[in-house]
Amino acid sequence: MRRTCVFSVVFFLLFLSLPLPSLSQPSHSVYNSFLKCFSKRTKTPQPQIAKNVFSPTNPAYSSVLRAYIRNARFNTSSTPKPTIIVTPRSYSHVSAAVLCSKPLNFVFKIRSGGHDYDGLSYISDKPFFVLDMSNIRDVSVDVAENSAWISAGATLGEVYYKIWEKSKVHGFPAGVCPTVGVGGHLSGGGYGNMLRKFGLSVDHLIDAKIVDVRGRVLDRKAMGEDLFWAISGGGGGSFGVVLGYKVKLVPVPPVVTVFRVEQYMAGGAVDMVHKWQFVGPKTDRNLFMRMLIQPVTRNKVKTVRASVVALFLGKADDVVSLLRKELPELALKKENCTEMTWFQSALWWDNRVNATQTDPKVFLDRNLDSSSFGKRKSDYVATEVPRNGIESLFKKMIELGKIGLVFNPYGGKMAEIAEDATPFPHRNMLYKIQYSVNWKESSPEIEKGYLNEAKELHSFMTRFVSKSPRSAYLNYRDVDIGVNDHGKNSYKEGEVYGRMYFGKNFDRLVKIKTKVDPRNFFRNEQSIPTLPRKF
């Protein structure tokens, strides 16, 4: 069975009955007030609005809510539910949703693909609405201009498919998971397996459109360079509703090479992982070698498997020759490699083993209502971990038993872009670590155990990772590092996670936030706070 990119395709139907908001049941007047306002602003008769505005009494409410819940931890009967879900089909719908929500004083959550790991786009412990952008999904590719317009509700799979339809030598540097929504991915930075060659997704933004707190639709010129900078990696949900981005496409060769090579502890995995740190971030920028480290049982013995999964923007002979010199510990052979087109490599990275025979239309499948339980955390490494550190890490992972790690190498183009060019500050790190654990069982005890594994391994890695602040990646959303109640201590609470995600760029983001949304309408548990008010 094929795995999905975020959580394996295992869905547990945990909604035993039509879900109602688990906070206070809203009076019918809230829905009626919103409906009346929405109807007036969109000039749409109220009966037609039922297709786009859902209360818990609407028969479609449950399926609309569940469609883009990607983590089953937040798909239970006791999970807080929104008072209203809005599924806009036009920019005017988005503007109306913002303007009609403001007087009602509900938290306003914005969801595109639903892949934020801790569910911040669709849960809250306060009464809230969800603006689900999945219907605003247009993708227009202009090969002559080497550009594309990508709507916030489109998925990366749809973007790649639309590019492939028009050109076999154009691509876009974004994530390897096809069901991720563009809105969250790009507004948080966005990266994929071409980042060493081309940098982040946001390094290729030309223009954008956003609905601001006053309901205005603004393009780059109208919003100004400060706000455009902020939504180019600072998280769009803090500043407004991102409607979409115009991006510059990148050239890809007609033939690329992929490979996957595995080693175990008894077969040299410690040496290979240690050496990878000196090669992965510094080798030819056409080569991206992701390292997966996972505790496994082999021949009834607990061990660790280290797997290198790679994309090379070139031919197999060239990458085999390169790694024979630079990383002989990998023992890469040509028979490990497969040559294919760039689009086929995107299918391969999505665990489509027979990528060259796979129908490209699979990237148009959004895999709705599919999720399993999971947790993610992140770190950055600035200095190579010593060999004995790798050894101790492997032993710790065997002890814990389930949690795995993903190392993503930087270097190349990443190191050439200034840390303040976008809100994303981690340009000069060697590599990023993702902590990853999935499970299938619906059990509070099991969940607590796996969440503790993630915290324990994260704590264990403290001595090896970035410091002052310890860095984290916004798009690997992790509420363990701090949350914001948006009360009188909002700035101090926001600074805790804000420095980890944005470093020195946090200060500029706060100033922009204070200017464009002074009353903090656009907020979530880890949004950018406003400056403290002076009394």
Side-chain angles (χ1 to χ4, degrees):
M1 180 171 63
R2 190 182 71 83
R3 293 178 293 116
T4 60
C5 36
V6 175
F7 303 116
S8 54
V9 183
V10 180
F11 177 66
F12 292 86
L13 189 58
L14 299 175
F15 284 60
L16 302 179
S17 60
L18 183 69
L20 295 174
S22 56
L23 303 158
S24 58
Q25 172 67 23
S27 65
H28 207 55
S29 63
V30 171
Y31 180 71
N32 287 341
S33 296
F34 184 88
L35 209 62
K36 186 177 179 180
C37 174
F38 196 86
S39 173
K40 182 179 179 181
R41 290 196 175 272
T42 60
K43 298 179 173 61
T44 307
Q46 287 195 25
Q48 289 185 25
I49 292 174
K51 299 175 184 176
N52 301 107
V53 180
F54 301 87
S55 75
T57 58
N58 188 309
Y61 172 94
S62 181
S63 60
V64 171
L65 176 61
R66 286 204 311 254
Y68 293 95
I69 292 178
R70 303 295 188 179
N71 190 342
R73 286 173 54 209
F74 311 116
N75 195 7
T76 72
S77 56
S78 61
T79 304
K81 309 296 188 300
T83 301
I84 293 173
I85 305 170
V86 186
T87 58
R89 294 181 180 273
S90 66
Y91 294 176
S92 64
H93 282 182
V94 177
S95 296
V98 170
L99 293 172
C100 296
S101 298
K102 281 167 62 179
L104 298 175
N105 200 30
F106 279 64
V107 176
F108 189 78
K109 294 294 183 107
I110 307 164
R111 180 171 77 173
S112 53
H115 279 277
D116 55 330
Y117 291 128
D118 273 348
L120 299 194
S121 65
Y122 53 85
I123 63 168
S124 175
D125 61 359
K126 297 181 173 71
F128 69 109
F129 298 162
V130 167
L131 183 74
D132 185 302
M133 297 291 288
S134 57
N135 289 326
I136 298 181
R137 59 203 289 181
D138 179 57
V139 179
S140 304
V141 175
D142 187 334
V143 171
E145 196 186 52
N146 296 318
S147 71
W149 170 261
I150 309 173
S151 297
T155 65
L156 296 182
E158 290 164 352
V159 172
Y160 298 155
Y161 180 85
K162 293 288 188 179
I163 295 172
W164 171 84
E165 274 190 318
K166 294 286 185 74
S167 170
K168 305 303 181 274
V169 291
H170 285 80
F172 184 67
V176 300
C177 176
T179 56
V180 162
V182 165
H185 187 67
L186 267 66
S187 67
Y191 85 99
N193 54 20
M194 295 198 291
L195 92 165
R196 302 192 63 256
K197 175 76 169 183
F198 296 112
L200 300 175
S201 303
V202 291
D203 297 330
H204 301 269
L205 300 186
I206 301 169
D207 202 346
K209 287 186 178 176
I210 188 171
V211 169
D212 74 353
V213 74
R214 293 162 61 184
R216 299 175 300 177
V217 177
L218 307 175
D219 62 8
R220 180 175 183 170
K221 184 177 180 181
M223 75 177 79
E225 288 303 300
D226 273 349
L227 183 51
F228 182 74
W229 177 86
I231 63 170
S232 302
S238 292
F239 305 97
V241 182
V242 173
L243 299 169
Y245 292 98
K246 185 178 182 181
V247 303
K248 198 81 172 173
L249 301 180
V250 301
V252 294
V255 176
V256 304
T257 302
V258 298
F259 65 83
R260 182 185 185 106
V261 176
E262 299 177 349
Q263 291 188 11
Y264 294 84
M265 284 180 71
V270 172
D271 288 331
M272 190 264 283
V273 172
H274 179 244
K275 180 71 173 293
W276 173 92
Q277 300 175 102
F278 297 85
V279 178
K282 297 170 185 175
T283 188
D284 185 328
R285 64 184 58 199
N286 288 298
L287 176 58
F288 177 87
M289 293 189 291
R290 170 175 279 182
M291 176 72 72
L292 308 175
I293 303 174
Q294 187 72 36
V296 296
T297 299
R298 193 182 191 214
N299 300 324
K300 299 181 180 180
V301 176
K302 291 182 178 179
T303 184
V304 167
R305 179 180 63 216
S307 310
V308 171
V309 185
L311 171 69
F312 179 66
L313 298 172
K315 296 190 174 180
D317 285 336
D318 294 332
V319 72
V320 170
S321 175
L322 175 69
L323 291 177
R324 188 180 296 127
K325 298 172 189 171
E326 294 190 352
L327 192 57
E329 294 84 353
L330 186 62
L332 181 68
K333 301 177 178 65
K334 189 172 182 181
E335 51 263 37
N336 301 132
C337 301
T338 308
E339 294 182 340
M340 56 183 64
T341 67
W342 173 77
F343 181 79
Q344 288 169 338
S345 78
L347 293 169
W348 184 87
W349 274 78
D350 186 40
N351 303 303
R352 308 272 177 180
V353 179
N354 299 314
T356 54
Q357 282 83 48
T358 301
D359 184 347
K361 284 190 170 66
V362 298
F363 265 9
L364 302 180
D365 183 359
R366 293 188 164 213
N367 294 317
L368 302 181
D369 222 359
S370 58
S371 59
S372 73
F373 303 84
K375 174 64 181 176
R376 301 291 189 270
K377 300 176 75 65
S378 62
D379 259 319
Y380 284 91
V381 176
T383 306
E384 294 87 356
V385 180
R387 189 186 184 284
N388 62 1
I390 301 294
E391 265 188 324
S392 65
L393 169 62
F394 281 19
K395 290 175 183 175
K396 184 66 176 179
M397 293 178 75
I398 290 172
E399 173 194 320
L400 292 171
K402 177 75 172 178
I403 183 86
L405 297 177
V406 184
F407 293 177
N408 292 288
Y410 280 11
K413 184 69 173 178
M414 288 291 284
E416 295 172 1
I417 299 173
E419 292 183 8
D420 60 357
T422 68
F424 180 93
H426 317 294
R427 302 283 186 171
N428 292 314
M429 297 295 179
L430 288 176
Y431 58 96
K432 172 170 58 185
I433 298 177
Q434 182 188 70
Y435 301 76
S436 174
V437 62
N438 295 337
W439 62 95
K440 299 178 181 180
E441 306 87 351
S442 174
S443 159
E445 294 76 19
I446 290 172
E447 176 173 317
K448 183 179 179 182
Y450 286 137
L451 295 181
N452 284 338
E453 271 196 37
K455 289 180 181 178
E456 192 169 341
L457 190 58
H458 188 261
S459 176
F460 173 85
M461 289 296 289
T462 303
R463 65 190 128 157
F464 301 123
V465 299
S466 59
K467 298 170 180 65
S468 302
R470 183 173 186 169
S471 300
Y473 178 41
L474 179 67
N475 277 1
Y476 291 171
R477 190 74 77 174
D478 178 13
V479 296
D480 296 343
I481 68 173
V483 293
N484 200 328
D485 192 48
H486 298 289
K488 63 180 181 179
N489 296 317
S490 176
Y491 177 81
K492 288 183 179 179
E493 291 173 355
E495 192 173 22
V496 175
Y497 57 80
R499 296 285 178 200
M500 296 180 74
Y501 286 140
F502 303 112
K504 293 177 182 177
N505 293 332
F506 175 73
D507 298 310
R508 185 178 175 190
L509 288 168
V510 170
K511 288 177 183 176
I512 296 167
K513 167 70 174 180
T514 305
K515 181 180 179 181
V516 303
D517 184 20
R519 296 188 178 275
N520 197 23
F521 172 73
F522 293 109
R523 65 189 185 274
N524 59 51
E525 290 80 357
Q526 287 192 337
S527 58
I528 301 295
T530 56
L531 285 167
R533 292 183 183 180
K534 294 179 181 178
F535 296 98

PDB file of all heavy atoms in Angstrom, residues 312-325:
ATOM      1  N   PHE A 312      19.075  13.869  -8.504  1.00  0.00           N
ATOM      2  CA  PHE A 312      20.197  14.508  -9.175  1.00  0.00           C
ATOM      3  C   PHE A 312      19.702  15.085 -10.492  1.00  0.00           C
ATOM      4  O   PHE A 312      19.113  14.374 -11.307  1.00  0.00           O
ATOM      5  CB  PHE A 312      21.320  13.495  -9.436  1.00  0.00           C
ATOM      6  CG  PHE A 312      22.518  14.079 -10.149  1.00  0.00           C
ATOM      7  CD1 PHE A 312      23.311  15.035  -9.542  1.00  0.00           C
ATOM      8  CD2 PHE A 312      22.844  13.658 -11.436  1.00  0.00           C
ATOM      9  CE1 PHE A 312      24.417  15.574 -10.193  1.00  0.00           C
ATOM     10  CE2 PHE A 312      23.940  14.190 -12.101  1.00  0.00           C
ATOM     11  CZ  PHE A 312      24.731  15.152 -11.476  1.00  0.00           C
ATOM     12  N   LEU A 313      19.923  16.377 -10.682  1.00  0.00           N
ATOM     13  CA  LEU A 313      19.476  17.036 -11.909  1.00  0.00           C
ATOM     14  C   LEU A 313      20.495  16.778 -13.012  1.00  0.00           C
ATOM     15  O   LEU A 313      21.228  17.667 -13.449  1.00  0.00           O
ATOM     16  CB  LEU A 313      19.274  18.533 -11.656  1.00  0.00           C
ATOM     17  CG  LEU A 313      18.209  18.879 -10.608  1.00  0.00           C
ATOM     18  CD1 LEU A 313      18.220  20.355 -10.282  1.00  0.00           C
ATOM     19  CD2 LEU A 313      16.819  18.432 -11.062  1.00  0.00           C
ATOM     20  N   GLY A 314      20.539  15.531 -13.433  1.00  0.00           N
ATOM     21  CA  GLY A 314      21.504  15.103 -14.434  1.00  0.00           C
ATOM     22  C   GLY A 314      21.421  13.599 -14.610  1.00  0.00           C
ATOM     23  O   GLY A 314      20.487  12.947 -14.131  1.00  0.00           O
ATOM     24  N   LYS A 315      22.430  13.028 -15.245  1.00  0.00           N
ATOM     25  CA  LYS A 315      22.404  11.610 -15.611  1.00  0.00           C
ATOM     26  C   LYS A 315      23.080  10.719 -14.573  1.00  0.00           C
ATOM     27  O   LYS A 315      23.905  11.167 -13.781  1.00  0.00           O
ATOM     28  CB  LYS A 315      23.036  11.427 -16.983  1.00  0.00           C
ATOM     29  CG  LYS A 315      22.240  12.140 -18.075  1.00  0.00           C
ATOM     30  CD  LYS A 315      22.713  11.768 -19.465  1.00  0.00           C
ATOM     31  CE  LYS A 315      21.800  12.395 -20.524  1.00  0.00           C
ATOM     32  NZ  LYS A 315      22.220  12.051 -21.904  1.00  0.00           N
ATOM     33  N   ALA A 316      22.714   9.440 -14.612  1.00  0.00           N
ATOM     34  CA  ALA A 316      23.152   8.484 -13.605  1.00  0.00           C
ATOM     35  C   ALA A 316      24.672   8.341 -13.561  1.00  0.00           C
ATOM     36  O   ALA A 316      25.271   8.304 -12.479  1.00  0.00           O
ATOM     37  CB  ALA A 316      22.487   7.131 -13.853  1.00  0.00           C
ATOM     38  N   ASP A 317      25.325   8.233 -14.726  1.00  0.00           N
ATOM     39  CA  ASP A 317      26.784   8.059 -14.749  1.00  0.00           C
ATOM     40  C   ASP A 317      27.481   9.174 -13.989  1.00  0.00           C
ATOM     41  O   ASP A 317      28.475   8.943 -13.290  1.00  0.00           O
ATOM     42  CB  ASP A 317      27.293   8.018 -16.192  1.00  0.00           C
ATOM     43  CG  ASP A 317      26.988   6.693 -16.891  1.00  0.00           C
ATOM     44  OD1 ASP A 317      26.814   5.682 -16.172  1.00  0.00           O
ATOM     45  OD2 ASP A 317      26.904   6.680 -18.128  1.00  0.00           O
ATOM     46  N   ASP A 318      26.968  10.386 -14.121  1.00  0.00           N
ATOM     47  CA  ASP A 318      27.613  11.540 -13.500  1.00  0.00           C
ATOM     48  C   ASP A 318      27.493  11.508 -11.982  1.00  0.00           C
ATOM     49  O   ASP A 318      28.452  11.814 -11.259  1.00  0.00           O
ATOM     50  CB  ASP A 318      27.014  12.843 -14.038  1.00  0.00           C
ATOM     51  CG  ASP A 318      27.322  13.045 -15.514  1.00  0.00           C
ATOM     52  OD1 ASP A 318      28.372  12.539 -15.974  1.00  0.00           O
ATOM     53  OD2 ASP A 318      26.519  13.703 -16.204  1.00  0.00           O
ATOM     54  N   VAL A 319      26.327  11.139 -11.469  1.00  0.00           N
ATOM     55  CA  VAL A 319      26.159  11.130 -10.016  1.00  0.00           C
ATOM     56  C   VAL A 319      26.892   9.940  -9.396  1.00  0.00           C
ATOM     57  O   VAL A 319      27.452  10.053  -8.293  1.00  0.00           O
ATOM     58  CB  VAL A 319      24.667  11.167  -9.612  1.00  0.00           C
ATOM     59  CG1 VAL A 319      23.956   9.842  -9.908  1.00  0.00           C
ATOM     60  CG2 VAL A 319      24.516  11.526  -8.135  1.00  0.00           C
ATOM     61  N   VAL A 320      26.951   8.810 -10.079  1.00  0.00           N
ATOM     62  CA  VAL A 320      27.700   7.653  -9.574  1.00  0.00           C
ATOM     63  C   VAL A 320      29.182   8.008  -9.487  1.00  0.00           C
ATOM     64  O   VAL A 320      29.854   7.726  -8.478  1.00  0.00           O
ATOM     65  CB  VAL A 320      27.474   6.418 -10.472  1.00  0.00           C
ATOM     66  CG1 VAL A 320      28.436   5.300 -10.080  1.00  0.00           C
ATOM     67  CG2 VAL A 320      26.037   5.939 -10.361  1.00  0.00           C
ATOM     68  N   SER A 321      29.697   8.652 -10.528  1.00  0.00           N
ATOM     69  CA  SER A 321      31.098   9.064 -10.528  1.00  0.00           C
ATOM     70  C   SER A 321      31.389  10.070  -9.422  1.00  0.00           C
ATOM     71  O   SER A 321      32.403   9.986  -8.720  1.00  0.00           O
ATOM     72  CB  SER A 321      31.445   9.668 -11.896  1.00  0.00           C
ATOM     73  OG  SER A 321      32.745  10.188 -11.903  1.00  0.00           O
ATOM     74  N   LEU A 322      30.481  11.013  -9.245  1.00  0.00           N
ATOM     75  CA  LEU A 322      30.649  12.046  -8.223  1.00  0.00           C
ATOM     76  C   LEU A 322      30.713  11.444  -6.828  1.00  0.00           C
ATOM     77  O   LEU A 322      31.614  11.770  -6.027  1.00  0.00           O
ATOM     78  CB  LEU A 322      29.471  13.032  -8.318  1.00  0.00           C
ATOM     79  CG  LEU A 322      29.385  14.127  -7.252  1.00  0.00           C
ATOM     80  CD1 LEU A 322      30.509  15.138  -7.434  1.00  0.00           C
ATOM     81  CD2 LEU A 322      28.020  14.819  -7.297  1.00  0.00           C
ATOM     82  N   LEU A 323      29.781  10.537  -6.512  1.00  0.00           N
ATOM     83  CA  LEU A 323      29.707   9.986  -5.165  1.00  0.00           C
ATOM     84  C   LEU A 323      30.743   8.897  -4.913  1.00  0.00           C
ATOM     85  O   LEU A 323      31.061   8.604  -3.763  1.00  0.00           O
ATOM     86  CB  LEU A 323      28.288   9.490  -4.879  1.00  0.00           C
ATOM     87  CG  LEU A 323      27.259  10.628  -4.755  1.00  0.00           C
ATOM     88  CD1 LEU A 323      25.867  10.087  -4.535  1.00  0.00           C
ATOM     89  CD2 LEU A 323      27.630  11.594  -3.625  1.00  0.00           C
ATOM     90  N   ARG A 324      31.274   8.320  -5.960  1.00  0.00           N
ATOM     91  CA  ARG A 324      32.386   7.383  -5.779  1.00  0.00           C
ATOM     92  C   ARG A 324      33.575   8.122  -5.152  1.00  0.00           C
ATOM     93  O   ARG A 324      34.303   7.569  -4.331  1.00  0.00           O
ATOM     94  CB  ARG A 324      32.793   6.772  -7.126  1.00  0.00           C
ATOM     95  CG  ARG A 324      33.829   5.639  -7.007  1.00  0.00           C
ATOM     96  CD  ARG A 324      34.204   5.077  -8.363  1.00  0.00           C
ATOM     97  NE  ARG A 324      33.052   4.436  -9.012  1.00  0.00           N
ATOM     98  CZ  ARG A 324      32.634   4.716 -10.237  1.00  0.00           C
ATOM     99  NH1 ARG A 324      33.263   5.636 -10.964  1.00  0.00           N
ATOM    100  NH2 ARG A 324      31.594   4.082 -10.749  1.00  0.00           N
ATOM    101  N   LYS A 325      33.721   9.393  -5.526  1.00  0.00           N
ATOM    102  CA  LYS A 325      34.818  10.210  -4.987  1.00  0.00           C
ATOM    103  C   LYS A 325      34.446  10.838  -3.638  1.00  0.00           C
ATOM    104  O   LYS A 325      35.239  10.822  -2.693  1.00  0.00           O
ATOM    105  CB  LYS A 325      35.161  11.343  -5.975  1.00  0.00           C
ATOM    106  CG  LYS A 325      35.650  10.874  -7.330  1.00  0.00           C
ATOM    107  CD  LYS A 325      35.760  12.068  -8.277  1.00  0.00           C
ATOM    108  CE  LYS A 325      36.030  11.617  -9.708  1.00  0.00           C
ATOM    109  NZ  LYS A 325      35.925  12.755 -10.664  1.00  0.00           N
TER     110      LYS A 325
END
